[in-house]
Amino acid sequence: MNTPSTPNRAPVLDALAEVLKQRRSASPDNSYVASLHHKGLNKILEKVGEEATETLLAAKDAEHGSEAQRQALIAETADLWFHSLVMLSHLELDHQDVLNELARRFGISGHDEKAARTP
């Protein structure tokens, strides 16, 4: 059993990260991810922001909504995570570092963790 200090590798995230890495050097005409990388960080950040907004709106609909609205929230969250992974890839950062940071926070009060951050 894994503890927060030794998180599981996430096979789906690992596989997706590898695809994203490969697509960075693909032709922008043949790959959506390559086209984002080609357009640069600002375009990627624009997509992350767009997906974040769509996720927030879907969450509001899902709160008291139908099963279809709840599934729409799942789809929007997947889009947000995907574009966040593209952002990390563009900056040559590893998603595992994010998972490690989440694991580090286990057992720490959210208030304490926030207070400990340096501005």
Side-chain angles (χ1 to χ4, degrees), residues 24-59:
R24 285 188 67 173
S25 59
S27 168
D29 296 331
N30 298 328
S31 166
Y32 173 69
V33 170
S35 72
L36 287 174
H37 284 297
H38 181 74
K39 292 174 185 173
L41 182 61
N42 283 346
K43 181 61 177 178
I44 295 167
L45 296 177
E46 180 183 308
K47 287 301 296 179
V48 171
E50 175 186 314
E51 297 302 341
T53 299
E54 291 174 2
T55 300
L56 294 173
L57 294 172

Side-chain angles (χ1 to χ4, degrees), residues 37-93:
H37 284 297
H38 181 74
K39 292 174 185 173
L41 182 61
N42 283 346
K43 181 61 177 178
I44 295 167
L45 296 177
E46 180 183 308
K47 287 301 296 179
V48 171
E50 175 186 314
E51 297 302 341
T53 299
E54 291 174 2
T55 300
L56 294 173
L57 294 172
K60 291 296 288 179
D61 291 342
E63 183 178 24
H64 302 291
S66 66
E67 185 58 30
Q69 288 169 313
R70 296 174 70 76
Q71 287 304 310
L73 174 57
I74 298 299
E76 292 299 345
T77 302
D79 290 345
L80 176 59
W81 288 11
F82 173 82
H83 286 90
S84 295
L85 289 169
V86 172
M87 176 191 66
L88 290 173
S89 172
H90 189 81
L91 296 170
E92 297 182 9
L93 294 169

